[in-house]
Amino acid sequence: MLTPEEWTAVRLSLQVAFWATVWSLPPGILVAFILSRLHFPGRGLFDGLIHLPLVLPRVVVGYLLLLLLGARGTFGFYLNEWFGIRLIFSTAGATVAAAVVSFPLTVNAIRLSLDAVDKGLETAARTLGASRLDVFFSITLPLMLPGILSGTLISLASALGEFGATITFVSNVEGVTRTIPLAIYSATSMPDGDDIALRLTIVSIVLALGALLLAEFADRRIRVVLGRI
């Protein structure tokens, strides 16, 4: 059985991952649509910037967040002074770190699904008088659903495992920013922490694997409903 402190880490991980996924989904759909359907100067650079968190060391991502959103950061200073929003050493900051790291995964899954949508269907709808907005909500969006759901669950799994950016940006505060990965890290630093680390590792594996399996199952079910297989 998990101790109260371990349950707190699990609850906090689920909370952070959930809100990171929720907040990153709408901009993820927008960015995926831009990358898939629009052509403009600097598109390659924009694509590279979006996917940069995938290839940068997570500690670097966390440090950049600290420079931008820290109490004396480029934007963090004004967030604190004008709105009283202080992200460092907070659960909200941990959510931001998880969202930034998992955002490229959301975009990529949705973009791949959007690329597979038959543009002929959209063109036919346009020739019949449908507006671009009608085409998007009646044709494009339903056909994007497998990618949206898959991206959501993969992003959730990624956010559950986020470590480097979180500990660099918001530190390791018990009950506030200490998610499962940080709790495991703390446990390995304790003389008698092996059992704690093992229990939390098992929980982490179960949660991540469950999210991935659910993504695969949901993708198959939606494709069946849409008549793709």
Side-chain angles (χ1 to χ4, degrees):
M1 292 294 293
L2 301 180
T3 65
E5 291 78 11
E6 292 163 11
W7 276 116
T8 298
V10 173
R11 176 192 57 78
L12 187 61
S13 291
L14 293 172
Q15 176 185 339
V16 166
F18 173 79
W19 286 113
T21 303
V22 168
W23 286 111
S24 64
L25 186 58
I29 295 174
L30 176 61
V31 170
F33 186 86
I34 291 173
L35 290 174
S36 177
R37 296 303 170 87
L38 302 183
H39 299 278
F40 52 90
R43 180 173 175 271
L45 177 61
F46 179 66
D47 192 3
L49 289 174
I50 292 297
H51 289 87
L52 200 56
L54 282 180
V55 294
L56 281 177
R58 299 297 171 84
V59 174
V60 173
V61 176
Y63 181 65
L64 290 174
L65 288 173
L66 194 60
L67 292 177
L68 294 173
L69 300 175
R72 297 184 179 180
T74 306
F75 303 109
F77 175 79
Y78 297 103
L79 286 174
N80 188 29
E81 288 293 316
W82 294 351
F83 306 105
I85 299 175
R86 189 180 179 91
L87 293 177
I88 59 171
F89 311 122
S90 70
T91 304
T95 302
V96 170
V100 169
V101 169
S102 61
F103 184 70
L105 297 173
T106 305
V107 171
N108 196 49
I110 297 173
R111 180 183 178 182
L112 290 174
S113 183
L114 184 56
D115 287 341
V117 173
D118 186 357
K119 294 182 181 179
L121 295 175
E122 298 173 324
T123 303
R126 290 283 292 154
T127 59
L128 293 174
S131 67
R132 292 185 183 276
L133 203 59
D134 288 336
V135 171
F136 178 78
F137 282 106
S138 63
I139 296 177
T140 310
L141 187 59
L143 294 176
M144 287 168 57
L145 282 179
I148 292 174
L149 188 54
S150 176
T152 297
L153 293 172
I154 291 174
S155 175
L156 183 69
S158 174
L160 283 170
E162 166 49 34
F163 173 78
T166 302
I167 198 170
T168 306
F169 180 42
V170 295
S171 191
N172 185 4
V173 183
E174 185 176 355
V176 180
T177 66
R178 185 174 295 175
T179 55
I180 292 175
L182 274 69
I184 293 173
Y185 172 77
S186 298
T188 59
S189 304
M190 299 165 53
D192 56 347
D194 288 346
D195 290 341
I196 298 174
L198 180 59
R199 287 195 296 269
L200 290 175
T201 296
I202 293 173
V203 171
S204 182
I205 292 172
V206 169
L207 290 175
L209 186 59
L212 293 174
L213 291 175
L214 183 59
E216 177 67 21
F217 174 77
D219 179 71
R220 288 179 178 274
R221 292 300 301 168
I222 291 178
R223 290 179 187 277
V224 169
V225 171
L226 294 176
R228 289 189 172 184
I229 61 174

